[in-house]
Amino acid sequence: DGAWSLNGTLINLGLDRRRRLSGGNLIISSLDRHQDVGMYQCMAYNTVGAILSRRASLQFAYLDHFKVHTRSAVSVREGQGVVLLCGTPTSSGDLTYAWVFNEYPYFVQQDNRRFVSQQTGNLYIAKVEPSDVGNYTCVVMNSITKGKVHSSPTSLILRTDGVMGEYEPKIEVNFPDNVPAAKGSTVTLECFALGNPVPEITWKRANGVPFPSKVKMKYSNAVLEIPSFQQDDTGGYECVAENKMGKNTAAGRLAFYAKPQWIQTMKDTALAIEERLHWECRANGRPRPSYTWLKNGQQLLSEDRIHVEDGVLSVSVLTLSDAGMYQCVAENKHGIIYFAAELMVLASPPDFTGNVLRALLKAKAGTTVTLECKPQAYPLASILWKKGNLITLSPDGTLRLANVSKSDAGSYTCFARNRFGMSSTTGRLLVTATVPIIQGPVNMEIIVGESIVLPCQVASDPVLDVSFSWAFNGQLIAKGDGHFELVGGVTGDLMIRNIQLYHAGKYICVVDTDVESLSAVAVLIVKGPPSPPDSVTVEEVTDSTAQLTWSPGRDNGSPITNYLIQTRTPFTVGWQRVNTVPEIIDGNTLTATVVDLNAWVEYEFRVLAKNSVGVGEPSPVSVKTRTEDAVPDAAPGDVGGGGGSRSELVITWEPVPEELQNGESFGYIIAFRAFGEVTWTHVATSAPGASRYVYRNDSIAPFSPFHVKVGTYNSKGQGPFSPVVTIYSAEIEPSGMPAGVWARSVSASEIEVNWQALSFTPERVLGYEVVYWEDDTKPETLGKVRVPWNQTSVTVSGLAGNTQYFLTVSAFNTAGTGPFLPAINVTTKKPPPAQPPLNVEWTLIGSQLSLYWEPVVAMESESEVTGYQLSYRRQRHKEVNTLTTVNSTAELTLPEDDDDYIIHIQTLSEGGLGPASDPIRIHQLSKLVVDGFIGSRWLYSPGPQSVTTSIFYYLPGLEVT
């Protein structure tokens, strides 16, 4: 619940209709400036006690009207100073002031001669001039309500009895001797003087320290403004008003103040009855805060057991009535703060709930055992221990047994008593023998990727619970790590699978029992291939060598025995091993010369290190480096040629790969001469990818032999020539025509063509070409067949059935084909029947196989059936045998074995072989059982007079026996 007070008086909400509570909040309707102004405070209370909230001040901003009366005129001499009083009406809240000159909205403009004080509201004119004559009205505005009021006008007139003479400054606006300022606030000091001539205002600090840049001067230095006031800004400030007649000074001090802030507070506390309470609270503040203590909202004073002094509360002997809510209050003239804590006073008999002795405590012989008796008791209980007839008093409740032995085993009971009652708890002590580690891990060296088991086994007492754990380099090994596994069940062996370099270090097996903790240590050294070398640098480079240097990587437990160098170019697939000097680079050598490089090729290098374990990962790749250029040292390969058109010599070669061209501006030199000539003809081509050159000259006889060689050159000079080869110039096509051409249709898809060989022709004949087509309107049917010069017939296949074809025969060589006689024509046979043999039946008696099928009848557009061909083979063999018959039956004798047979049946006709029947699978069965025949009505069984009638039906894919 809660209650509210106003200015220290409890608000009676039952009699007050304008005020009500809502969830602890005080709601005031129809606010009244006179009744509701003041300091509010809430008291919250329950069964534990009560506390006061911080105070809240409710103020009303207002601004009353000026009293309506005529103000007297102010008469001054020219040159004299004057103060026009505002006479501010009653108000509450911050005010701002301005003065209207003669009529609104002409406000007095402040300068070094005129100043409106925001402290007093008055208008100050340091030296009156004729232009100042007129009516002045004070305007006051409330910064909170925004309300604005105007005074009655005051007339300023000049006296006519002369002009005021010069006089020294007289300070009319200054600041108090002591100005308190809060941290972070903006401090404003005003200073203005009357005088003739108009005084000049300056400011300074009493300690002579210059003003920081944040300080601002306003209104011709009449106002000094210090934003974000800090401790450094405190001290004396002086305002100096000066003219040629003299000067005057106003001085005051700025003092730093701060509301209280807690630096030490108390906590909720539970104490036993008769114990002593000591609470202390401390707060910062400027000026230094004073302290009071409240209990349940009422002030505490020092009396009897209670002592209150300077933020300290002490109660010597607590009683149950001391329980409640306490507050420490720190206050200075700038603020007040509260801090609350609860005091609970406890009174109860001894209680071992949650803190009983262990039913069974195990200890190793020779150790010290501590039995603790810690009941919950208020006030504290007196303790005694009992074992058998032995009784021991214990002021702190602890029983210590040093160097225990079997005789110390047994039941121990702790008795606790205070003035509210007694209680006890009992436990049994079991003394066990030492548990030694009989096999622990040993120091080992191991290779990366291998697996090992580190043993850890103990000889334990059966009454003890034993657990194992392992630490690696000080970190507990977790079960989820895939490399580690605890194996062995009752032992603590640790398996490490696929060991890596980072597994090297110290391994500790920890054995925990009920009575002790043991450990065994081993150091594991892991060896692996070396880490990659680094900083591979290419230094001296020639056309065939490059000097490399590098820095070594880690040897990973095994000294580096030697280094390997690999290279890569744009022309290689992957990295290649290279030759070096020295040929074998030992592990202490960090430089080598790579040899046998190609000139004018861009190389990358990398270095690998090797030790007794293996070859490590390669180093980072070196910067790309190009070898120097050189004369070509490779000749073109596979030089040849021949063919081409009349009067041409065609020369071909295999181009030199780019990586063997040794420099820029690479090209070829082609040299040739006719048989019997001495002088070579040379031709150069600058295309590095060229592979063919054609020399044309009408004087070249057909098929004349030439000596030819091809060389290379680049910007550095001429390279080697290939070996000399013999090639022939272009020949001309044969001039003769094959005679005696005739042809016959062999089948629906084949025509046999015959001719007579050319007996003599001056040109070379490589062979004969047969061209065939259906007719001139079907160019897509054109086909060609070529045969060697010594062949005078060919069978053209793949033709359409029952179709007329035209054919020609001509001779050919590398120059092309010669002339031919007019075309002959032949019509292919009708195609064989498209229907395969159907309804095949078979009978197997002993080794004699009989087959029957329906005869195939040809269509009008098909060739007549002249017979049938059977193809058969063993299932496990590829060799196919054939048998022909003119009827739709066949007899076969199968060998005496247990292999199955596969049989196909096709029609025979002038058009060729027809499509095959579905495969027929013949199963060889035991001769004691006669095979059935599919689709037949008869089944023959062995034995005398044992013919029975049955019906078997053939289903596709079904095997029947």
Side-chain angles (χ1 to χ4, degrees):
D1 291 330
W4 284 84
S5 63
L6 173 59
N7 298 327
T9 303
L10 188 66
I11 299 174
N12 189 341
L13 295 173
L15 301 176
D16 195 330
R17 293 184 178 179
R18 292 189 306 108
R19 301 186 179 106
R20 62 185 176 87
L21 277 181
S22 175
N25 298 325
L26 177 63
I27 298 176
I28 308 172
S29 56
S30 303
L31 282 170
D32 185 283
R33 167 174 144 190
H34 301 289
Q35 292 185 39
D36 296 324
V37 69
M39 193 70 69
Y40 288 81
Q41 195 166 25
C42 172
M43 175 185 283
Y45 55 88
N46 60 15
T47 55
V48 175
I51 58 171
L52 292 178
S53 71
R54 64 187 182 187
R55 296 174 184 171
S57 173
L58 178 59
Q59 303 292 329
F60 291 87
Y62 62 91
L63 175 60
D64 288 343
H65 288 283
F66 282 94
K67 292 179 180 179
V68 180
H69 67 276
T70 303
R71 297 193 174 194
S72 303
V74 177
S75 177
V76 294
R77 290 188 181 93
E78 182 182 348
Q80 185 179 352
V82 69
V83 179
L84 300 182
L85 304 180
C86 180
T88 307
T90 55
S91 65
S92 176
D94 292 337
L95 304 178
T96 58
Y97 299 90
W99 284 78
V100 173
F101 179 51
N102 286 330
E103 61 181 14
Y104 187 83
Y106 298 104
F107 287 93
V108 173
Q109 299 302 310
Q110 298 184 69
D111 51 26
N112 65 336
R113 198 170 60 81
R114 293 172 294 188
F115 177 65
V116 177
S117 170
Q118 298 303 314
Q119 305 293 334
T120 65
N122 299 333
L123 171 62
Y124 300 85
I125 303 176
K127 173 190 172 187
V128 174
E129 296 178 352
S131 61
D132 295 325
V133 173
N135 293 321
Y136 290 85
T137 302
C138 181
V139 181
V140 185
M141 188 173 79
N142 190 308
S143 301
I144 299 173
T145 67
K146 306 303 181 186
K148 187 185 296 184
V149 294
H150 296 72
S151 70
S152 301
T154 300
S155 296
L156 178 66
I157 58 177
L158 286 181
R159 290 171 57 170
T160 58
D161 55 354
V163 177
M164 183 74 176
E166 294 181 338
Y167 64 97
E168 69 179 18
K170 178 186 177 186
I171 294 178
E172 287 289 342
V173 181
N174 57 15
F175 46 95
D177 293 340
N178 211 330
V179 180
K183 179 180 179 180
S185 65
T186 298
V187 178
T188 302
L189 302 180
E190 294 184 342
C191 181
F192 193 77
L194 311 183
N196 185 6
V198 175
E200 181 183 348
I201 306 295
T202 57
W203 294 83
K204 64 180 180 179
R205 294 185 66 169
N207 59 10
V209 175
F211 290 120
S213 60
K214 69 177 181 176
V215 173
K216 303 288 188 288
M217 308 286 184
K218 297 182 176 180
Y219 305 117
S220 302
N221 291 1
V223 174
L224 175 73
E225 186 177 278
I226 308 172
S228 186
F229 188 77
Q230 303 296 324
Q231 183 81 43
D232 293 346
D233 299 320
T234 59
Y237 286 75
E238 292 183 6
C239 161
V240 179
E242 184 175 8
N243 62 14
K244 68 181 183 179
M245 302 304 295
K247 67 178 177 178
N248 266 309
T249 302
R253 293 190 63 80
L254 290 183
F256 186 85
Y257 80 81
K259 298 176 182 180
Q261 283 188 314
W262 292 118
I263 57 174
Q264 180 183 346
T265 56
M266 62 280 191
K267 297 180 180 178
D268 291 340
T269 303
L271 293 174
I273 192 170
E274 300 177 359
E275 284 191 311
R276 182 175 183 274
L277 169 69
H278 180 88
W279 267 341
E280 188 172 351
C281 62
R282 287 281 178 267
N284 280 336
R286 185 70 68 86
R288 184 172 177 271
S290 60
Y291 301 91
T292 54
W293 287 86
L294 306 177
K295 178 189 176 188
N296 296 329
Q298 302 299 317
Q299 185 172 352
L300 283 174
L301 301 174
S302 294
E303 58 177 1
D304 299 332
R305 300 173 298 109
I306 300 173
H307 180 71
V308 177
E309 182 180 2
D310 194 27
V312 175
L313 169 65
S314 60
V315 183
S316 57
V317 180
L318 288 174
T319 66
L320 293 175
S321 64
D322 293 320
M325 295 300 299
Y326 289 76
Q327 286 178 282
C328 179
V329 185
E331 181 177 12
N332 65 14
K333 64 181 180 179
H334 301 294
I336 181 170
I337 54 176
Y338 297 78
F339 193 86
E342 180 187 357
L343 173 64
M344 291 183 287
V345 180
L346 307 173
S348 67
D351 181 10
F352 285 100
T353 302
N355 206 16
V356 297
L357 283 175
R358 286 170 59 181
L360 178 62
L361 176 65
K362 300 172 185 177
K364 185 177 68 169
T367 60
T368 297
V369 177
T370 300
L371 301 176
E372 298 220 336
C373 185
K374 299 290 184 184
Q376 205 171 50
Y378 307 101
L380 291 175
S382 58
I383 305 294
L384 65 83
W385 287 89
K386 183 177 180 184
K387 177 181 183 264
N389 296 323
L390 180 64
I391 297 176
T392 305
L393 290 174
S394 174
D396 64 353
T398 300
L399 178 64
R400 290 179 179 80
L401 305 174
N403 194 21
V404 295
S405 62
K406 293 286 186 180
S407 63
D408 293 311
S411 293
Y412 289 79
T413 303
C414 165
F415 294 92
R417 181 194 301 271
N418 69 8
R419 62 177 173 149
F420 296 110
M422 186 185 78
S423 185
S424 65
T425 178
T426 300
R428 187 164 70 90
L429 175 64
L430 178 65
V431 179
T432 68
T434 300
V435 178
I437 294 179
I438 57 174
Q439 184 180 8
V442 295
N443 297 343
M444 298 181 69
E445 291 186 358
I446 193 163
I447 304 299
V448 164
E450 295 182 351
S451 299
I452 59 165
V453 174
L454 299 179
C456 188
Q457 300 174 17
V458 295
S460 64
D461 190 322
V463 301
L464 294 177
D465 292 327
V466 181
S467 65
F468 298 90
S469 59
W470 284 83
F472 168 48
N473 288 341
Q475 298 293 319
L476 193 66
I477 295 176
K479 287 185 178 180
D481 191 314
H483 290 277
F484 298 108
E485 181 185 354
L486 279 172
V487 296
V490 295
T491 69
D493 296 351
L494 175 69
M495 173 176 278
I496 312 175
R497 290 189 174 92
N498 188 20
I499 284 181
Q500 301 301 306
L501 289 170
Y502 57 81
H503 289 132
K506 181 188 290 185
Y507 288 80
I508 302 176
C509 172
V510 180
V511 183
D512 289 306
T513 71
D514 303 313
V515 298
E516 63 182 329
S517 181
L518 305 171
S519 64
V521 181
V523 174
L524 188 62
I525 297 174
V526 181
K527 294 182 176 181
S531 296
D534 199 9
S535 305
V536 178
T537 304
V538 183
E539 295 182 345
E540 299 177 20
V541 179
T542 70
D543 60 0
S544 63
T545 67
Q547 178 142 2
L548 302 187
T549 61
W550 59 90
S551 58
R554 296 188 305 274
D555 64 10
N556 294 331
S558 177
I560 296 172
T561 55
N562 60 292
Y563 289 98
L564 310 173
I565 298 178
Q566 295 177 338
T567 185
R568 178 175 66 184
T569 74
F571 315 108
T572 59
V573 179
W575 291 89
Q576 311 289 331
R577 179 87 178 268
V578 291
N579 296 327
T580 60
V581 175
E583 185 176 349
I584 297 176
I585 309 167
D586 67 51
N588 297 318
T589 301
L590 300 176
T591 181
T593 300
V594 181
V595 297
D596 300 332
L597 301 178
N598 292 327
W600 199 245
V601 171
E602 201 170 58
Y603 283 90
E604 293 174 289
F605 299 94
R606 69 182 187 184
V607 181
L608 300 87
K610 183 179 180 182
N611 62 11
S612 61
V613 179
V615 178
E617 291 294 313
S619 69
V621 180
S622 71
V623 174
K624 290 181 179 179
T625 304
R626 185 182 288 276
T627 50
E628 295 182 353
D629 55 355
V631 171
D633 51 15
D638 197 20
V639 175
S645 301
R646 187 189 296 268
S647 301
E648 288 183 349
L649 176 66
V650 178
I651 303 168
T652 60
W653 63 90
E654 184 72 29
V656 174
E658 186 179 344
E659 64 267 30
L660 300 178
Q661 293 175 3
N662 287 10
E664 295 181 299
S665 304
F666 181 85
Y668 298 97
I669 300 171
I670 301 97
F672 54 90
R673 65 183 181 189
F675 264 33
E677 291 185 1
V678 178
T679 305
W680 292 90
T681 299
H682 292 86
V683 178
T685 174
S686 59
S691 61
R692 187 172 185 267
Y693 174 74
V694 179
Y695 173 65
R696 294 179 178 86
N697 193 312
D698 292 340
S699 65
I700 298 177
F703 208 61
S704 302
F706 280 79
H707 285 146
V708 174
K709 60 182 179 179
V710 181
T712 56
Y713 71 91
N714 63 15
S715 59
K716 293 288 285 187
Q718 184 175 323
F721 275 95
S722 67
V724 175
V725 296
T726 299
I727 63 173
Y728 288 83
S729 63
E731 56 188 342
I732 59 177
E733 61 272 8
S735 57
M737 292 183 290
V741 178
W742 65 278
R744 68 184 182 90
S745 174
V746 179
S747 70
S749 61
E750 295 173 318
I751 293 176
E752 179 187 308
V753 186
N754 296 270
W755 61 90
Q756 294 174 3
L758 288 175
S759 57
F760 172 77
T761 179
E763 300 84 20
R764 187 169 63 133
V765 175
L766 289 179
Y768 297 94
E769 180 180 88
V770 177
V771 179
Y772 58 91
W773 66 96
E774 288 187 21
D775 64 50
D776 294 340
T777 64
K778 296 182 180 179
E780 72 276 4
T781 63
L782 182 84
K784 296 180 181 180
V785 179
R786 284 190 168 188
V787 295
W789 64 271
N790 58 355
Q791 191 172 324
T792 58
S793 69
V794 67
T795 299
V796 180
S797 59
L799 304 176
N802 198 25
T803 302
Q804 178 178 264
Y805 282 89
F806 296 88
L807 303 102
T808 63
V809 181
S810 58
F812 71 88
N813 60 20
T814 60
T817 55
F820 48 83
L821 293 172
I824 63 172
N825 63 77
V826 179
T827 300
T828 53
K829 307 282 189 184
K830 292 181 181 180
Q835 177 70 49
L838 298 176
N839 298 325
V840 180
E841 301 172 358
W842 59 270
T843 306
L844 179 63
I845 299 177
S847 61
Q848 193 66 31
L849 175 67
S850 301
L851 295 108
Y852 317 89
W853 58 89
E854 286 185 8
V856 176
V857 179
M859 306 286 288
E860 179 66 28
S861 60
E862 297 173 339
S863 295
E864 290 294 329
V865 175
T866 59
Y868 299 90
Q869 177 178 291
L870 279 74
S871 304
Y872 58 98
R873 67 176 177 83
R874 294 184 186 182
Q875 183 169 338
R876 291 194 289 267
H877 293 72
K878 292 184 179 180
E879 181 184 352
V880 178
N881 299 300
T882 59
L883 171 72
T884 59
T885 174
V886 296
N887 301 316
S888 59
T889 64
E891 300 286 338
L892 282 175
T893 301
L894 301 181
E896 296 283 337
D897 59 26
D898 57 358
D899 200 358
D900 290 353
Y901 275 78
I902 307 296
I903 298 177
H904 294 87
I905 304 174
Q906 295 171 274
T907 58
L908 288 172
S909 69
E910 280 190 338
L913 282 172
S917 65
D918 289 335
I920 304 146
R921 186 183 302 274
I922 309 297
H923 300 284
Q924 293 277 28
L925 302 176
S926 167
K927 299 311 172 194
L928 296 177
V929 178
V930 177
D931 291 312
F933 52 88
I934 301 172
S936 172
R937 293 170 173 258
W938 302 99
L939 173 65
Y940 299 94
S941 299
Q945 302 172 349
S946 57
V947 177
T948 59
T949 303
S950 266
I951 299 175
F952 280 71
Y953 296 97
Y954 171 78
L955 297 176
L958 179 67
E959 297 177 358
V960 180
T961 60

